Amino acid sequence: MAQIEGEVIKPYKANFLLTNAKIYTVTKGILEDHDLLIEDGLIKAIGKNIPQQNHTVIDCTGKSLYPGFIDSGTSLGIVEVNSLKETQDYMELGKVTPQMQALTAVNPNGVAIPVTRVSGVTTVLTQPRGGHFPGTAALINLNGYTPGQMFGGFKGVIMNYPSAVRSGSNDTRSLEDLQKTATKNLDEINKLWEKAATYLAIKSKGGELEYYPEMEQLSRVLNKELPLLIEVNAAKDIVSALEWIKEKDVNVVLTGVAEGWKVADKIAAAGVPVITGPVLTLPSRDSDNYDASYNNPALLQKAGVKVALRTMEAENVRNLPFNAGFAAAYGMGITEALKAITIIPAEIFGVDDSLGSLEEGKKASLFISDGDPFEPKTQIHQVFIDGYRIPMTNRHIRLYQEFLEREMQP
């Protein structure tokens, strides 16, 4: 539901009673003709015929309530326009910058944030890129005036696992050269790991340490204060990464995992959760079927892997529901695809006590739709984030309204 410019455009908090809705709780089934009460930013109650007091009542007859969607991998807030370097803030100089915080780079006024949230995506993981350890990703809610207000309660250090396969059709390196490069990069990572272990050992014994922010941040991974998000995509690299993980006693999430379907049994056996995507993309190899990317989440999930989805977009995070829709259509099913962008990422990020489903006591991050949100024709009528009623407007809507009728009045 587009909002006309000049009407209320600030998010505001109040007590809301959403009545007569079909509620997709995700964790406790689908509730027909139920009410949902929002008080103090939380879901206070879910039930039938909740008494109306001093609430703002929104009649949801014929409409559905869903928990806000979570995109588990984006550049939202740290990239404004992908083609303009001046608007990119996702990469630092050097290969080893795990201490660099994506959260501090987030622009709360990014144009793409309102574009994203009116599609029902209320929370995203925004992450840096490049090098061995490019920085620390952060979960953010898409409402707030400062990065601190937007912080969603999760951080994780990114690691790019060295690849021993070609990056694409333009990559003409020999297999021998690829392996040499991968081995060299892994040696560098292993040396960094050893150094971080030494740093942690000294710190644990109260020894004196010079200012060394890279090792300080990596030591927090070794100490299990922070998880390690390992970006790896080719099947051969995934198997190698699983072997590397065996030797490390840390909390790990695999990300990317484009060819995970080829080694799904090995990932399941390792018990490592996966954030995969984008789903709406071409296969990583010309020899693979056209639908390899569409099928990947379902094949991983059916093998027993805990799977969350991501878009890896900046301006088009709004397409997360359609990535999930393709995953649903290509074997995952609607129920599991819905979980992959709600409760599963909430569990992976350790925020499932407050996000990921519609339950009493959780944060009121949810939306009202007039149909299946995986369908492009469905309209999102209202979004709430932490109990704030979000203005249903953005630059796209304003441009649409501006140029819908272009005939000049006499």
Side-chain angles (χ1 to χ4, degrees):
M1 183 174 64
Q3 186 172 26
I4 298 170
E5 186 78 341
E7 294 185 354
V8 177
I9 58 172
K10 283 173 67 75
Y12 70 96
K13 207 169 191 177
N15 295 331
F16 300 97
L17 180 59
L18 315 182
T19 61
N20 307 311
K22 185 175 184 178
I23 301 179
Y24 288 79
T25 66
V26 176
T27 51
K28 296 186 176 179
I30 302 170
L31 307 175
E32 299 279 357
D33 296 322
H34 272 60
D35 304 339
L36 186 147
L37 177 62
I38 299 172
E39 284 187 1
D40 301 324
L42 301 175
I43 300 173
K44 184 74 173 180
I46 297 175
K48 288 200 171 186
N49 302 316
I50 295 177
Q52 298 180 12
Q53 298 175 350
N54 295 321
H55 306 122
T56 300
V57 178
I58 300 176
D59 183 8
C60 298
T61 300
K63 299 184 177 67
S64 302
L65 303 186
Y66 288 86
F69 291 160
I70 302 171
D71 192 324
S72 300
T74 75
S75 300
L76 189 62
I78 56 176
V79 173
E80 195 69 16
V81 181
N82 257 323
S83 56
L84 288 178
K85 286 186 179 179
E86 294 84 352
T87 69
Q88 300 172 356
D89 200 6
Y90 63 81
M91 186 183 295
E92 297 295 332
L93 293 174
K95 291 181 179 178
V96 185
T97 56
Q99 77 281 12
M100 302 310 295
Q101 301 287 331
L103 184 63
T104 62
V106 168
N107 174 15
N109 299 311
V111 170
I113 289 176
V115 171
T116 300
R117 64 192 183 190
V118 300
S119 68
V121 180
T122 59
T123 306
V124 306
L125 185 76
T126 191
Q127 60 184 78
R129 286 179 271 168
H132 296 328
F133 294 98
T136 299
L139 194 69
I140 58 171
N141 296 313
L142 302 186
N143 182 39
Y145 292 105
T146 67
Q149 291 174 347
M150 298 173 73
F151 182 51
F154 170 84
K155 289 184 178 181
V157 172
I158 304 288
M159 172 182 154
N160 289 308
Y161 195 81
S163 179
V165 302
R166 293 190 178 96
S167 57
S169 56
N170 294 327
D171 189 345
T172 58
R173 290 176 293 172
S174 68
L175 295 178
E176 184 181 4
D177 286 345
L178 288 165
Q179 189 59 56
K180 279 182 183 176
T181 302
T183 301
K184 174 178 172 291
N185 287 333
L186 191 57
D187 285 345
E188 291 175 359
I189 288 174
N190 284 331
K191 286 176 184 173
L192 289 166
W193 203 262
E194 289 172 12
K195 192 180 286 188
T198 302
Y199 183 96
L200 177 60
I202 296 172
K203 187 170 75 170
S204 302
K205 293 178 181 175
E208 266 192 43
L209 290 164
E210 293 184 357
Y211 179 65
Y212 204 161
E214 296 91 335
M215 291 303 115
E216 174 63 29
Q217 191 70 345
L218 287 180
S219 73
R220 296 181 67 195
V221 174
L222 271 68
N223 207 21
K224 297 186 178 180
E225 292 176 43
L226 291 172
L228 187 64
L229 309 181
I230 300 179
E231 178 75 14
V232 60
N233 284 290
K236 180 180 179 182
D237 297 335
I238 294 169
V239 173
S240 176
L242 292 175
E243 287 298 318
W244 188 82
I245 292 166
K246 274 185 187 175
E247 304 167 3
K248 313 289 185 297
D249 182 24
V250 293
N251 296 324
V252 171
V253 179
L254 295 184
T255 65
V257 198
E259 295 184 358
W261 56 280
K262 295 180 179 178
V263 291
D265 56 337
K266 291 183 172 59
I267 301 172
V272 180
V274 162
I275 295 170
T276 191
V279 179
L280 296 176
T281 190
L282 296 172
S284 53
R285 297 172 191 273
D286 292 342
S287 56
D288 290 338
N289 289 339
Y290 77 94
D291 56 0
S293 301
Y294 308 157
N295 287 317
N296 188 38
L299 295 172
L300 285 165
Q301 185 261 330
K302 288 176 180 174
V305 180
K306 178 178 278 194
V307 180
L309 301 180
R310 69 178 190 180
T311 61
M312 282 307 285
E313 289 279 3
E315 305 99 326
N316 289 315
V317 179
R318 59 185 176 146
N319 288 335
L320 176 68
F322 310 134
N323 278 259
F326 265 68
Y330 282 80
M332 203 172 198
I334 292 175
T335 300
E336 293 302 324
L338 181 59
K339 289 180 180 177
I341 57 172
T342 53
I343 192 65
I344 297 293
E347 289 174 355
I348 290 174
F349 299 140
V351 294
D352 53 308
D353 60 337
S354 59
L355 295 174
S357 64
L358 297 182
E359 296 178 63
E360 293 177 3
K362 287 196 172 186
K363 290 182 178 178
S365 291
L366 53 95
F367 64 87
I368 305 168
S369 75
D370 62 8
D372 182 349
F374 294 173
E375 294 280 353
K377 69 178 182 180
T378 296
Q379 296 294 305
I380 308 300
H381 287 251
Q382 185 58 60
V383 173
F384 296 87
I385 299 178
D386 287 347
Y388 282 86
R389 187 173 185 172
I390 300 298
M392 297 302 288
T393 189
N394 60 47
R395 189 162 186 264
H396 289 188
I397 292 171
R398 291 196 293 273
L399 289 172
Y400 172 77
Q401 292 171 337
E402 169 68 24
F403 295 104
L404 185 62
E405 300 291 345
R406 285 178 284 180
E407 289 186 11
M408 297 294 289
Q409 296 295 322

